[in-house]
Amino acid sequence: MTLKIALDPDASTAPYEQLRTQISELARSGALPVGFRLPTVRGFAEQLGLAANTVAKAYRALETDGVIETRGRNGTFIAAAGDAAERHAAAAAQEYAEQARRLGLSRDEALSLAEDAVRAAYAAR
C-alpha cells in the first residue's frame, strides 16, 4: 500500500496541517488500516519535499489526536484506538459546555456559538 498525500503549496493552510488532516482522514476512512506503518519523518519529508521538522510537527499532532502511535525505533503506525479522536472531541465539548454555563450563557447561546465555530472550522478546509 502506498501513502498518497497531495500538498498544495499555494493553500492558506500550513503544510504540516495539510499533512495532518490528510493522514487523519485516511486513517478514519479506513484507507490507512490500523497498524499501517508510516514512513520515517526524514523519508517522508524527502518524498514530500518538506523540512523534516514539518513532518515531525504533523506526526506529533496526529499522535496527540490519537490517530497514530510511535513505537520507538520500530516506527510510527496508525493507532488501533480509532475512538481516540471522538474521546478527545467529547472531552473538549464537555469542557466547552461547562465553561459556557459558568459564563452564564443560555443553552441556545452556547449551542449557537459552538455551531458557528464548527461551521467556520470546516469551511476553512
Short mmCIF file of all heavy atoms in Angstrom, two decimals, residues 44-88:
data_model
loop_
_atom_site.label_atom_id
_atom_site.label_comp_id
_atom_site.label_asym_id
_atom_site.label_seq_id
_atom_site.Cartn_x
_atom_site.Cartn_y
_atom_site.Cartn_z
N PHE A 44 9.76 10.65 4.70
CA PHE A 44 8.52 11.28 4.25
C PHE A 44 8.78 12.73 3.86
O PHE A 44 8.23 13.23 2.88
CB PHE A 44 7.47 11.19 5.37
CG PHE A 44 6.06 11.13 4.89
CD1 PHE A 44 5.72 10.84 3.57
CD2 PHE A 44 5.02 11.33 5.78
CE1 PHE A 44 4.40 10.77 3.16
CE2 PHE A 44 3.70 11.27 5.39
CZ PHE A 44 3.39 10.99 4.08
N ALA A 45 9.63 13.41 4.63
CA ALA A 45 9.97 14.80 4.31
C ALA A 45 10.63 14.88 2.94
O ALA A 45 10.27 15.75 2.12
CB ALA A 45 10.89 15.37 5.38
N GLU A 46 11.54 13.97 2.66
CA GLU A 46 12.19 13.95 1.34
C GLU A 46 11.17 13.67 0.24
O GLU A 46 11.18 14.32 -0.80
CB GLU A 46 13.29 12.90 1.31
CG GLU A 46 14.54 13.29 2.04
CD GLU A 46 15.61 12.22 1.98
OE1 GLU A 46 15.61 11.42 1.01
OE2 GLU A 46 16.45 12.18 2.89
N GLN A 47 10.32 12.68 0.48
CA GLN A 47 9.30 12.30 -0.51
C GLN A 47 8.36 13.47 -0.83
O GLN A 47 7.99 13.68 -1.98
CB GLN A 47 8.50 11.12 0.04
CG GLN A 47 7.37 10.65 -0.84
CD GLN A 47 6.55 9.55 -0.16
OE1 GLN A 47 7.04 8.86 0.73
NE2 GLN A 47 5.33 9.40 -0.56
N LEU A 48 7.99 14.24 0.20
CA LEU A 48 7.04 15.34 0.03
C LEU A 48 7.70 16.68 -0.29
O LEU A 48 7.02 17.65 -0.59
CB LEU A 48 6.18 15.49 1.29
CG LEU A 48 5.29 14.31 1.64
CD1 LEU A 48 4.67 14.51 3.01
CD2 LEU A 48 4.22 14.11 0.57
N GLY A 49 9.02 16.73 -0.18
CA GLY A 49 9.73 17.99 -0.42
C GLY A 49 9.53 18.98 0.71
O GLY A 49 9.46 20.19 0.48
N LEU A 50 9.45 18.46 1.93
CA LEU A 50 9.25 19.30 3.10
C LEU A 50 10.45 19.20 4.03
O LEU A 50 11.26 18.29 3.91
CB LEU A 50 8.01 18.83 3.88
CG LEU A 50 6.66 18.93 3.19
CD1 LEU A 50 5.59 18.25 4.05
CD2 LEU A 50 6.30 20.38 2.94
N ALA A 51 10.51 20.10 4.97
CA ALA A 51 11.52 20.01 6.02
C ALA A 51 11.12 18.90 6.98
O ALA A 51 9.93 18.67 7.21
CB ALA A 51 11.63 21.34 6.77
N ALA A 52 12.09 18.22 7.54
CA ALA A 52 11.80 17.14 8.48
C ALA A 52 11.00 17.65 9.67
O ALA A 52 10.12 16.95 10.18
CB ALA A 52 13.11 16.50 8.96
N ASN A 53 11.26 18.88 10.12
CA ASN A 53 10.52 19.44 11.25
C ASN A 53 9.03 19.60 10.93
O ASN A 53 8.19 19.50 11.82
CB ASN A 53 11.09 20.79 11.67
CG ASN A 53 12.40 20.65 12.42
OD1 ASN A 53 12.70 19.59 12.96
ND2 ASN A 53 13.17 21.72 12.45
N THR A 54 8.70 19.84 9.68
CA THR A 54 7.30 19.97 9.28
C THR A 54 6.57 18.64 9.42
O THR A 54 5.47 18.57 9.97
CB THR A 54 7.20 20.48 7.82
OG1 THR A 54 7.87 21.74 7.73
CG2 THR A 54 5.76 20.63 7.37
N VAL A 55 7.19 17.57 8.96
CA VAL A 55 6.60 16.23 9.08
C VAL A 55 6.55 15.84 10.55
O VAL A 55 5.54 15.29 11.02
CB VAL A 55 7.37 15.20 8.24
CG1 VAL A 55 6.85 13.79 8.48
CG2 VAL A 55 7.29 15.56 6.76
N ALA A 56 7.60 16.13 11.31
CA ALA A 56 7.63 15.80 12.73
C ALA A 56 6.49 16.52 13.47
O ALA A 56 5.85 15.93 14.34
CB ALA A 56 8.98 16.15 13.34
N LYS A 57 6.23 17.76 13.11
CA LYS A 57 5.15 18.52 13.75
C LYS A 57 3.80 17.88 13.45
O LYS A 57 2.94 17.76 14.33
CB LYS A 57 5.18 19.97 13.26
CG LYS A 57 4.20 20.87 13.95
CD LYS A 57 4.38 22.31 13.51
CE LYS A 57 3.44 23.24 14.23
NZ LYS A 57 3.64 24.65 13.85
N ALA A 58 3.60 17.45 12.22
CA ALA A 58 2.35 16.77 11.84
C ALA A 58 2.21 15.46 12.60
O ALA A 58 1.13 15.14 13.12
CB ALA A 58 2.31 16.53 10.34
N TYR A 59 3.28 14.70 12.70
CA TYR A 59 3.25 13.42 13.42
C TYR A 59 2.93 13.66 14.91
O TYR A 59 2.16 12.91 15.51
CB TYR A 59 4.58 12.68 13.28
CG TYR A 59 4.73 11.85 12.01
CD1 TYR A 59 3.92 12.04 10.90
CD2 TYR A 59 5.72 10.88 11.93
CE1 TYR A 59 4.08 11.27 9.75
CE2 TYR A 59 5.88 10.10 10.79
CZ TYR A 59 5.07 10.30 9.70
OH TYR A 59 5.22 9.53 8.57
N ARG A 60 3.53 14.69 15.51
CA ARG A 60 3.25 14.98 16.93
C ARG A 60 1.77 15.31 17.11
O ARG A 60 1.14 14.83 18.07
CB ARG A 60 4.12 16.13 17.43
CG ARG A 60 5.54 15.74 17.75
CD ARG A 60 6.29 16.83 18.49
NE ARG A 60 6.31 18.11 17.79
CZ ARG A 60 7.22 18.47 16.89
NH1 ARG A 60 8.20 17.63 16.57
NH2 ARG A 60 7.17 19.65 16.32
N ALA A 61 1.21 16.11 16.21
CA ALA A 61 -0.21 16.46 16.30
C ALA A 61 -1.09 15.23 16.13
O ALA A 61 -2.07 15.05 16.86
CB ALA A 61 -0.55 17.52 15.26
N LEU A 62 -0.74 14.37 15.20
CA LEU A 62 -1.50 13.14 14.98
C LEU A 62 -1.42 12.20 16.18
O LEU A 62 -2.39 11.54 16.54
CB LEU A 62 -1.00 12.42 13.71
CG LEU A 62 -1.39 13.08 12.40
CD1 LEU A 62 -0.51 12.58 11.26
CD2 LEU A 62 -2.86 12.84 12.10
N GLU A 63 -0.25 12.17 16.81
CA GLU A 63 -0.11 11.32 17.99
C GLU A 63 -0.95 11.89 19.15
O GLU A 63 -1.63 11.14 19.86
CB GLU A 63 1.36 11.19 18.40
CG GLU A 63 1.58 10.15 19.45
CD GLU A 63 3.01 9.65 19.49
OE1 GLU A 63 3.94 10.39 19.10
OE2 GLU A 63 3.21 8.50 19.92
N THR A 64 -0.94 13.19 19.30
CA THR A 64 -1.77 13.83 20.32
C THR A 64 -3.25 13.55 20.08
O THR A 64 -4.01 13.33 21.02
CB THR A 64 -1.51 15.35 20.34
OG1 THR A 64 -0.14 15.59 20.67
CG2 THR A 64 -2.40 16.07 21.34
N ASP A 65 -3.64 13.54 18.81
CA ASP A 65 -5.04 13.26 18.44
C ASP A 65 -5.41 11.79 18.58
O ASP A 65 -6.57 11.43 18.44
CB ASP A 65 -5.30 13.69 16.99
CG ASP A 65 -5.23 15.19 16.79
OD1 ASP A 65 -5.26 15.93 17.78
OD2 ASP A 65 -5.13 15.62 15.63
N GLY A 66 -4.41 10.93 18.80
CA GLY A 66 -4.68 9.50 18.93
C GLY A 66 -4.81 8.77 17.61
O GLY A 66 -5.25 7.63 17.56
N VAL A 67 -4.42 9.43 16.51
CA VAL A 67 -4.53 8.82 15.19
C VAL A 67 -3.36 7.87 14.92
O VAL A 67 -3.54 6.83 14.30
CB VAL A 67 -4.60 9.91 14.09
CG1 VAL A 67 -4.61 9.29 12.70
CG2 VAL A 67 -5.82 10.79 14.31
N ILE A 68 -2.19 8.25 15.40
CA ILE A 68 -1.00 7.41 15.20
C ILE A 68 -0.35 7.13 16.54
O ILE A 68 -0.63 7.80 17.54
CB ILE A 68 0.02 8.06 14.24
CG1 ILE A 68 0.61 9.35 14.83
CG2 ILE A 68 -0.60 8.30 12.87
CD1 ILE A 68 1.74 9.94 14.03
N GLU A 69 0.53 6.14 16.53
CA GLU A 69 1.32 5.84 17.72
C GLU A 69 2.75 5.56 17.29
O GLU A 69 2.99 4.96 16.25
CB GLU A 69 0.75 4.67 18.50
CG GLU A 69 0.66 3.38 17.72
CD GLU A 69 -0.06 2.27 18.48
OE1 GLU A 69 -0.58 2.52 19.57
OE2 GLU A 69 -0.10 1.16 17.95
N THR A 70 3.69 6.06 18.08
CA THR A 70 5.10 5.83 17.80
C THR A 70 5.59 4.72 18.71
O THR A 70 5.34 4.75 19.91
CB THR A 70 5.91 7.12 18.02
OG1 THR A 70 5.38 8.12 17.15
CG2 THR A 70 7.37 6.91 17.71
N ARG A 71 6.24 3.77 18.14
CA ARG A 71 6.76 2.62 18.88
C ARG A 71 8.28 2.66 18.90
O ARG A 71 8.95 1.70 18.48
CB ARG A 71 6.25 1.32 18.27
CG ARG A 71 4.74 1.21 18.25
CD ARG A 71 4.30 -0.07 17.59
NE ARG A 71 2.86 -0.05 17.33
CZ ARG A 71 2.25 -0.85 16.48
NH1 ARG A 71 2.95 -1.74 15.79
NH2 ARG A 71 0.96 -0.77 16.30
N GLY A 72 8.81 3.76 19.31
CA GLY A 72 10.26 3.91 19.41
C GLY A 72 10.94 3.68 18.07
O GLY A 72 10.51 4.19 17.05
N ARG A 73 11.96 2.86 18.09
CA ARG A 73 12.73 2.58 16.86
C ARG A 73 11.99 1.69 15.88
O ARG A 73 12.42 1.51 14.76
CB ARG A 73 14.06 1.95 17.22
CG ARG A 73 14.97 2.93 17.91
CD ARG A 73 16.30 2.33 18.17
NE ARG A 73 17.21 3.39 18.62
CZ ARG A 73 18.49 3.39 18.44
NH1 ARG A 73 19.07 2.38 17.84
NH2 ARG A 73 19.22 4.38 18.86
N ASN A 74 10.85 1.11 16.32
CA ASN A 74 10.07 0.25 15.43
C ASN A 74 9.27 1.05 14.40
O ASN A 74 8.83 0.50 13.41
CB ASN A 74 9.14 -0.66 16.23
CG ASN A 74 9.90 -1.69 17.02
OD1 ASN A 74 10.90 -2.22 16.54
ND2 ASN A 74 9.45 -1.96 18.22
N GLY A 75 9.07 2.33 14.66
CA GLY A 75 8.38 3.17 13.69
C GLY A 75 7.10 3.78 14.22
O GLY A 75 6.77 3.71 15.40
N THR A 76 6.37 4.38 13.29
CA THR A 76 5.13 5.07 13.59
C THR A 76 4.01 4.39 12.82
O THR A 76 4.15 4.14 11.62
CB THR A 76 5.24 6.56 13.18
OG1 THR A 76 6.36 7.14 13.87
CG2 THR A 76 3.99 7.33 13.52
N PHE A 77 2.91 4.12 13.50
CA PHE A 77 1.83 3.32 12.95
C PHE A 77 0.47 3.98 13.16
O PHE A 77 0.30 4.75 14.10
CB PHE A 77 1.80 1.94 13.62
CG PHE A 77 3.07 1.16 13.45
CD1 PHE A 77 4.15 1.37 14.29
CD2 PHE A 77 3.19 0.24 12.42
CE1 PHE A 77 5.33 0.66 14.13
CE2 PHE A 77 4.37 -0.48 12.24
CZ PHE A 77 5.44 -0.26 13.10
N ILE A 78 -0.48 3.63 12.30
CA ILE A 78 -1.86 4.05 12.50
C ILE A 78 -2.34 3.34 13.77
O ILE A 78 -2.21 2.14 13.90
CB ILE A 78 -2.76 3.71 11.29
CG1 ILE A 78 -2.26 4.41 10.02
CG2 ILE A 78 -4.21 4.04 11.58
CD1 ILE A 78 -2.28 5.93 10.09
N ALA A 79 -2.89 4.11 14.70
CA ALA A 79 -3.27 3.59 16.01
C ALA A 79 -4.52 2.72 15.95
O ALA A 79 -5.41 2.93 15.12
CB ALA A 79 -3.50 4.75 16.98
N ALA A 80 -4.57 1.77 16.84
CA ALA A 80 -5.72 0.87 16.94
C ALA A 80 -6.91 1.57 17.57
O ALA A 80 -8.05 1.19 17.34
CB ALA A 80 -5.35 -0.36 17.76
N ALA A 81 -6.66 2.58 18.37
CA ALA A 81 -7.74 3.27 19.07
C ALA A 81 -8.40 4.29 18.16
O ALA A 81 -8.12 5.48 18.23
CB ALA A 81 -7.20 3.94 20.33
N GLY A 82 -9.28 3.83 17.29
CA GLY A 82 -9.97 4.72 16.38
C GLY A 82 -10.92 5.67 17.08
O GLY A 82 -11.28 6.69 16.54
N ASP A 83 -11.32 5.33 18.32
CA ASP A 83 -12.24 6.18 19.06
C ASP A 83 -11.52 7.30 19.81
O ASP A 83 -12.17 8.12 20.45
CB ASP A 83 -13.03 5.34 20.07
CG ASP A 83 -13.95 4.35 19.38
OD1 ASP A 83 -14.41 4.64 18.27
OD2 ASP A 83 -14.19 3.29 19.97
N ALA A 84 -10.20 7.34 19.75
CA ALA A 84 -9.46 8.35 20.50
C ALA A 84 -9.86 9.76 20.09
O ALA A 84 -10.02 10.63 20.95
CB ALA A 84 -7.96 8.15 20.31
N ALA A 85 -10.04 10.00 18.81
CA ALA A 85 -10.42 11.33 18.36
C ALA A 85 -11.79 11.71 18.91
O ALA A 85 -12.00 12.84 19.35
CB ALA A 85 -10.43 11.40 16.84
N GLU A 86 -12.71 10.75 18.92
CA GLU A 86 -14.03 11.02 19.46
C GLU A 86 -13.96 11.30 20.96
O GLU A 86 -14.66 12.17 21.46
CB GLU A 86 -14.98 9.86 19.18
CG GLU A 86 -15.37 9.77 17.72
CD GLU A 86 -16.29 8.60 17.43
OE1 GLU A 86 -16.95 8.10 18.38
OE2 GLU A 86 -16.37 8.21 16.27
N ARG A 87 -13.11 10.57 21.68
CA ARG A 87 -12.97 10.82 23.12
C ARG A 87 -12.41 12.21 23.37
O ARG A 87 -12.88 12.93 24.24
CB ARG A 87 -12.06 9.76 23.75
CG ARG A 87 -12.73 8.41 23.93
CD ARG A 87 -11.93 7.51 24.86
NE ARG A 87 -10.53 7.36 24.49
CZ ARG A 87 -10.06 6.47 23.64
NH1 ARG A 87 -10.88 5.62 23.05
NH2 ARG A 87 -8.78 6.40 23.37
N HIS A 88 -11.41 12.61 22.59
CA HIS A 88 -10.83 13.95 22.74
C HIS A 88 -11.88 15.02 22.43
O HIS A 88 -11.98 16.02 23.14
CB HIS A 88 -9.61 14.14 21.84
CG HIS A 88 -8.39 13.39 22.28
ND1 HIS A 88 -7.91 13.42 23.56
CD2 HIS A 88 -7.55 12.60 21.60
CE1 HIS A 88 -6.83 12.67 23.65
NE2 HIS A 88 -6.59 12.16 22.46
#
